[in-house]
Amino acid sequence: MSIDKTSTPPEDGAVANTEAAAGAAGVVDPRLLVREQGFAGYLTEFKRKMKAGDLGSLPVVIGLVIIWIIFQSLNSNFLTAGNLSDISVAMVGTGMIAVGIVFVLLLGEIDLSVGSVSGVAGATFAVLNVTHGMNEVLAFVLAILTGAVAGAVHGFFFAKIGVPAFAVTLAGLLFWNGLMLKVLGDNGTINLNDGLVSKLTTYYFSDVAAAYGLALAVTVLYFLSAFFANKRREAAGVPSRPLSETILRTVLLAVVSFAAAIVFNQYKGLPLAVLIFVAVLFVTDFVLRRTAYGRKVFALGGSVEASRRAGINVDMVRISVFAISGTFAAVGGLFIASKIAAANQSAGSGDLLMNAIAAAVIGGTSLFGGRGRTWNALLGVLVIVSIQYGLALQGVASPVQYMITGGVLLATVVIDAVTRKTQKTAGRA
């Protein structure tokens, strides 16, 4: 007995399901078409990112180039090797503090105590090492631990007690500033000896191989990281950058890195401060982007409740993030103390807090949490210090510098808010 396969037509629902399945199978992520379409594909991808408000660090880089062009046109000494080298060393103290701020901002929170914590760390080292004669390495470690403990205390009150981060770190700003004044005593200033901390900003690797070696290491590490990341994404069947784009990005990084190396070697050589800062950026970026802990930090910035339901220990992550912020505030404070060769009562005050937060935000870290990289601290602080040095060369007074830096910060925050709205409209947030 034969069966007539055409005698029973499929039901309407089956037809609909079949067509839907075919349609789903035909959907292709537009990012996968970039390689096939060549230059046209990259142009389409750029337009897509423009509409979605996802340009990454490109606006900051363009802004930095414009700033340098303007100041160079006003004063031919701005782009000299000596001035650029001084800028790179001067930015490290604030940049270290900004790295810690990036971690806090990824949670969608704020830490107003970092300036005072940096000051108390510098004072702690000076008193222990200079006044009491403690071994400088031990004094250095204890000063950093002071910052870590201060940050952990803030995190405890925020995570366990429920005090808003703004309030607890504002209280910390006052408390740690008072402790710094108490530690320094009536004299108020302790000059640092020519030792470990002093060399943080005064030591240069005069051998030209040091600067070129760092440039080569940065380039190679970036390429290997990007290459193997793309391999993992391809193996998982998710969109990845084509090899040609990875090579192009690597070449651009190599140009920038070796240009910086040439500038350093035209002056005193590779600054130790820059070497340490770059190493810190690589390590912290790896932690945030390649470890389970980093994914937890980003998850909390996206949704605390969803993170809690996923089994993340929200309280411990919050406490650890504020401890990290305090630690980098202490490290930054030691670099600042090294720069002025002293620990004094004005440490951690003035525009330091504003500049550290502004550096993270200007570099591209979102104030709303969940988006940012520690490399943003480098770009942001480079913009701020470049503005400061450029205005100083023009003889512009500090009040005007504050206003201009504040205007740049406001513009960045506005761009961040508009970008967030654009991403929501595009369905990406």
Side-chain angles (χ1 to χ4, degrees), residues 72-90:
Q72 177 65 15
S73 65
L74 295 175
N75 191 316
S76 59
N77 292 322
F78 182 79
L79 290 181
T80 59
N83 191 59
L84 291 177
S85 182
D86 289 343
I87 288 175
S88 68
V89 173

Side-chain angles (χ1 to χ4, degrees), residues 198-240:
S198 294
K199 290 181 179 179
L200 288 176
T201 57
T202 59
Y203 186 83
Y204 292 78
F205 296 94
S206 57
D207 191 337
V208 296
Y212 290 130
L214 177 61
L216 179 62
V218 168
T219 303
V220 172
L221 285 174
Y222 172 81
F223 175 77
L224 293 177
S225 175
F227 179 78
F228 287 111
N230 288 339
K231 286 295 183 182
R232 287 193 296 270
R233 295 176 69 86
E234 289 176 2
V238 296
S240 62

Side-chain angles (χ1 to χ4, degrees), residues 14 32 34 93 156-157 165 190 228 241-243 249 259 278 296 319 353 369 371 379 407 416:
L32 294 175
V34 172
F156 173 82
F157 280 101
I190 300 177
F228 287 111
R241 291 194 182 103
L243 180 61
R249 287 170 176 260
V278 171
K296 292 176 183 178
I319 293 173
L353 172 62
R371 179 168 60 85
L379 288 174
D416 183 33

Side-chain angles (χ1 to χ4, degrees), residues 297-429:
V297 173
F298 278 104
L300 259 66
S303 173
V304 175
E305 185 58 32
S307 300
R308 184 177 286 110
R309 293 183 178 183
I312 295 176
N313 190 332
V314 173
D315 290 346
M316 288 307 299
V317 173
R318 283 174 163 175
I319 293 173
S320 66
V321 163
F322 277 90
I324 289 171
S325 178
T327 299
F328 280 109
V331 173
L334 293 173
F335 273 92
I336 293 172
S338 172
K339 185 65 178 175
I340 63 176
N344 57 39
Q345 294 179 339
S346 64
S349 59
D351 60 349
L352 178 60
L353 172 62
M354 180 195 73
N355 286 343
I357 297 175
V361 176
I362 290 173
T365 302
S366 175
L367 281 170
F368 303 98
R371 179 168 60 85
R373 297 181 62 179
T374 51
W375 287 98
N376 297 148
L378 171 61
L379 288 174
V381 75
L382 189 55
V383 168
I384 291 174
V385 177
S386 295
I387 292 174
Q388 291 176 339
Y389 268 65
L391 294 176
L393 285 176
Q394 295 303 115
V396 177
S398 295
V400 178
Q401 294 185 27
Y402 289 163
M403 290 188 288
I404 293 177
T405 306
V408 172
L409 175 59
L410 177 61
T412 305
V413 173
V414 170
I415 292 173
D416 183 33
V418 172
T419 298
R420 186 177 177 83
K421 290 182 179 179
T422 304
Q423 290 179 339
K424 285 183 177 180
T425 302
R428 300 194 62 217

